[in-house]
Amino acid sequence: MTTTYMRQLDKMGRLVIPKEIRDELSLKDQHLSMKPLKSGQGLRVLKENSSEDPKILDRYGRLVVPIELRQELGWDVGKKIEINVSNNEVVLNGKFEVCEICGKDESLIKVKTNYLCEDCLSEANQGFVQRWASQLNSLKDDYVSYTERLLDFKDPEDVHQARVVGRRIEALLKFLNVSSKHKILDTLTEAHSQLGEIRERDVLIEAFKKHAEESDDEKKAEVFAQIHQRVENKREKYRDKLDRKLPKLVNNKFSDQWNKFIEEELPAYVLPLKVEERLEYYEKSFDQKAELFSEVFKEKGAASNKSLDSLHAVRISSKYLRYIYRYLNQMYRENYKAKADHYEDIQDQFGDINDLKDWLDEIDNHADKIDAKKKHVKAVKREFKDELENRMNEVNLEKIHS
């Protein structure tokens, strides 16, 4: 008899000996003993009346494996045991090579300590790749939708969302080790830059308009109003430029490149991916940027350009990690949400600081071109610089390093 059976240990340490084997060896009501296999991975079960502690199958054909033997072999509840017959003995083998999913013993590939057959491994790989493909395709569809809709410039939020979704796609592709020179990333980078020209001015216009309306100082209000108008005029030029260039970037050719990447290239990036190793790399990179910021902050002061540049690098790194953990949490059903929230909190510390820096830069860009006295322009700059320095001093360094 060459048939091999598979059974599991129950919570009482019992194992059902298949009826075919019980009948073949006439095991009913027989005294049985158990001896270890030479491999040390299983047991021989044989009829032996002289055994000091004989075992007898119960009426269901179950055999109790003593706890000391189970502990020695490392057999826990639910352990799968291979059962066959050799030399009129029952052989219980705890180490065997079959597919962990379907139980086949052909075309096996070892995965860590288990085995998968080629068919099951292929199916698992397809499912693994499909998780990434579905997530990336969903983001790409959102991106294309925003880039098409934003060109009517009715809602500034469309520009903002297009940039956000583009960053998320970029973050995931780079996490997969896709080269920054890849055509898709090259297109996203160029589009992101052009969208940034509009988004930055949308934010500036809103900020200077609000300051002009809320300022108690009439002279300062006039400075804000003039800068607001000049930025608005410049935004129109960038809108015209975007209207001409964006459709040439995010078009049918881009969609074709994207589909080819998903269908032909994505598996080569996803299947070798070691998620924890990549996360460790990103975390280490973030820690290095955070440490550099702390050193520059202490050496150069809160509002120095080097401190601001260094903090911006921390902000971008925290943004990427936030996106990565967020989507890994969705795709892998792992508890990455706390990490995503952590980096979102860090990123949130820096948003106002980045805005204040942009406002100061914009004042410098227009200072010599607006109809206002220098002392009034300086007063506006001083207001922003003081606020910027206060915000920088409020940065929670411990939170960044936690």
Side-chain angles (χ1 to χ4, degrees):
M1 179 175 178
T2 59
T3 304
T4 296
Y5 301 88
M6 202 73 64
R7 296 293 185 268
Q8 286 183 310
L9 281 174
D10 67 15
K11 62 182 179 181
M12 301 297 292
R14 297 173 301 191
L15 193 68
V16 176
I17 304 300
K19 185 176 185 304
E20 291 83 355
I21 293 179
R22 301 198 307 266
D23 292 344
E24 180 186 354
L25 299 182
S26 302
L27 298 181
K28 184 178 180 182
D29 298 326
Q30 294 292 323
H31 286 192
L32 305 172
S33 66
M34 283 176 254
K35 301 182 183 298
L37 295 175
K38 291 181 179 180
S39 67
Q41 302 295 332
L43 299 168
R44 298 160 48 220
V45 181
L46 58 153
K47 292 184 282 188
E48 189 172 87
N49 291 327
S50 62
S51 174
E52 295 180 1
D53 184 21
K55 303 297 179 186
I56 298 177
L57 300 181
D58 67 14
R59 60 177 178 154
Y60 300 108
R62 294 177 298 195
L63 174 69
V64 177
V65 180
I67 187 171
E68 59 272 16
L69 287 177
R70 300 200 307 270
Q71 290 175 343
E72 184 178 334
L73 293 166
W75 291 2
D76 297 322
V77 175
K79 169 68 177 176
K80 292 180 181 179
I81 307 297
E82 181 186 80
I83 306 174
N84 55 36
V85 174
S86 177
N87 298 323
N88 289 321
E89 296 176 352
V90 180
V91 177
L92 309 179
N93 189 4
K95 186 176 183 180
F96 47 88
E97 297 177 1
V98 297
C99 178
E100 187 70 16
I101 297 174
C102 70
K104 290 197 307 186
D105 59 0
E106 298 175 349
S107 302
L108 298 179
I109 299 171
K110 191 170 184 180
V111 182
K112 294 186 177 179
T113 58
N114 297 315
Y115 289 86
L116 294 177
C117 69
E118 288 184 356
D119 289 342
C120 288
L121 182 61
S122 176
E123 186 174 341
N125 284 341
Q126 289 175 13
F128 189 40
V129 172
Q130 186 56 41
R131 269 190 273 176
W132 278 88
S134 296
Q135 187 65 74
L136 288 167
N137 279 331
S138 178
L139 286 169
K140 179 260 183 182
D141 290 344
D142 288 345
Y143 183 70
V144 171
S145 177
Y146 280 122
T147 55
E148 290 175 347
R149 193 164 66 219
L150 66 83
L151 289 175
D152 62 17
F153 301 112
K154 291 180 179 178
D155 186 355
E157 187 63 18
D158 290 336
V159 175
H160 175 54
Q161 289 303 320
R163 294 188 84 229
V164 169
V165 175
R167 278 291 195 206
R168 291 174 179 175
I169 296 172
E170 180 188 353
L172 290 179
L173 293 182
K174 287 186 174 180
F175 186 76
L176 288 172
N177 263 321
V178 177
S179 170
S180 58
K181 295 180 180 179
H182 194 286
K183 290 180 180 179
I184 288 174
L185 280 173
D186 189 51
T187 298
L188 289 171
T189 299
E190 187 173 349
H192 189 79
S193 176
Q194 292 188 21
L195 291 167
E197 299 288 1
I198 306 296
R199 175 58 184 169
E200 288 170 13
R201 279 153 186 80
D202 284 341
V203 174
L204 288 167
I205 288 168
E206 183 180 351
F208 284 113
K209 182 179 180 181
K210 183 178 179 181
H211 278 85
E213 293 172 348
E214 296 180 356
S215 179
D216 295 329
D217 187 317
E218 185 177 330
K219 300 300 183 182
K220 285 184 180 180
E222 180 59 26
V223 172
F224 291 132
Q226 287 193 47
I227 294 177
H228 159 258
Q229 188 58 56
R230 292 188 64 83
V231 174
E232 195 164 41
N233 293 339
K234 197 166 186 179
R235 181 181 65 180
E236 292 308 309
K237 295 180 181 179
Y238 280 109
R239 281 182 172 180
D240 290 341
K241 178 181 176 183
L242 187 70
D243 195 35
R244 293 193 311 272
K245 292 195 172 184
L246 189 61
K248 296 179 181 179
L249 290 172
V250 186
N251 52 20
N252 290 336
K253 184 178 179 181
F254 172 75
S255 294
D256 290 342
Q257 289 172 347
W258 178 272
N259 292 336
K260 181 179 180 181
F261 169 78
I262 294 295
E263 293 170 9
E264 299 179 12
E265 299 178 46
L266 185 61
Y269 291 105
V270 171
L271 296 179
L273 178 67
K274 296 181 179 179
V275 172
E276 295 304 322
E277 283 187 14
R278 287 296 286 163
L279 287 173
E280 184 179 350
Y281 168 81
Y282 271 76
E283 292 277 4
K284 185 177 181 180
S285 176
F286 174 84
D287 289 342
Q288 290 172 344
K289 290 180 175 65
E291 186 61 36
L292 178 61
F293 166 68
S294 296
E295 293 173 2
V296 173
F297 183 90
K298 293 172 184 176
E299 180 182 348
K300 301 295 183 179
S304 70
N305 286 333
K306 284 192 175 182
S307 292
L308 291 168
D309 290 343
S310 181
L311 184 64
H312 182 66
V314 175
R315 176 173 176 263
I316 296 299
S317 186
S318 64
K319 182 186 292 187
Y320 272 46
L321 275 163
R322 169 195 170 191
Y323 293 155
I324 289 165
Y325 275 119
R326 172 183 171 180
Y327 289 111
L328 288 179
N329 187 66
Q330 294 178 14
M331 289 188 288
Y332 288 79
R333 301 294 189 268
E334 296 285 346
N335 188 20
Y336 290 126
K337 185 178 183 302
K339 279 286 193 177
D341 292 343
H342 169 68
Y343 284 105
E344 184 175 8
D345 287 345
I346 291 175
Q347 182 188 340
D348 286 346
Q349 286 192 72
F350 311 145
D352 290 341
I353 292 172
N354 194 62
D355 287 343
L356 284 163
K357 182 179 181 298
D358 289 343
W359 298 347
L360 281 165
D361 290 342
E362 201 64 23
I363 292 171
D364 286 337
N365 290 339
H366 298 284
D368 296 333
K369 301 170 187 175
I370 60 175
D371 185 16
K373 292 184 178 180
K374 289 185 178 180
K375 66 177 181 179
H376 298 142
V377 176
K378 286 182 178 180
V380 168
K381 288 183 65 174
R382 174 48 54 195
E383 180 181 326
F384 284 163
K385 281 183 176 179
D386 289 344
E387 186 176 355
L388 176 61
E389 190 164 357
N390 289 336
R391 292 297 179 93
M392 286 290 284
N393 284 319
E394 290 172 359
V395 171
N396 188 337
L397 295 176
E398 291 184 2
K399 191 171 187 178
I400 294 175
H401 290 288
S402 63

